[in-house]
Amino acid sequence: HVQLVESGGGSAQAGGSLGLSCVISQYTGSGYCVGWFRQAPGKERVRVATIYTNGGDTSYADSVKGRFTISQDTAKNTFYLQMNSLKPEDTAMYYCAAADQRYGRLWCSDDEKYQYWGQGTQVTVS
């Protein structure tokens, strides 16, 4: 079955950097959306960044644009979120997710299309 495993969370000071990784196993195809989401305590989950595996098209939430970078290593089926210039408001549980392959790149911004989820990794910025 499809598995997503995140790693790399931790603590950082404001202005610092952290990198997250997400390994996706048992899920290959010609192209699908992968997203990084985050949820802070008492708040709704929000989409932070997306990438379409075929071509590498990316998108970012306004709150992280210019600070976060999503990327992929297709050979390893691993996806990354590099977070720079961190702010306390970036504190949250971060999740990676993969969308159903029936949906193309135009659907990467539709949160409901994400079918597979990792267990999350905590990021704390102080």
Side-chain angles (χ1 to χ4, degrees):
H1 61 283
V2 180
Q3 284 190 314
L4 289 77
V5 179
E6 302 101 333
S7 61
S11 298
Q13 291 190 337
S17 299
L18 282 173
L20 306 182
S21 299
C22 174
V23 179
I24 301 179
S25 58
Q26 305 299 321
Y27 196 55
T28 58
S30 59
Y32 55 93
C33 301
V34 173
W36 283 97
F37 296 75
R38 69 185 182 188
Q39 186 168 21
K43 295 188 177 181
E44 293 186 354
R45 185 178 62 200
V46 297
R47 179 171 21 89
V48 173
T50 70
I51 189 166
Y52 190 69
T53 61
N54 186 351
D57 292 356
T58 60
S59 69
Y60 297 91
D62 288 343
S63 60
V64 306
K65 204 170 290 184
R67 301 188 298 121
F68 289 12
T69 302
I70 187 171
S71 61
Q72 62 179 341
D73 183 332
T74 55
K76 298 180 180 179
N77 221 29
T78 300
F79 300 83
Y80 305 95
L81 186 68
Q82 179 63 37
M83 304 182 293
N84 299 327
S85 302
L86 283 164
K87 303 176 181 180
E89 51 263 44
D90 294 321
T91 295
M93 185 71 79
Y94 283 71
Y95 301 89
C96 71
D100 189 307
Q101 292 187 44
R102 291 176 294 172
Y103 302 104
R105 67 188 74 238
L106 295 179
W107 294 99
C108 289
S109 60
D110 187 339
D111 295 357
E112 293 185 1
K113 299 301 184 288
Y114 289 85
Q115 182 176 359
Y116 305 103
W117 292 82
Q119 81 289 350
T121 185
Q122 179 68 39
V123 170
T124 302
V125 183
S126 59

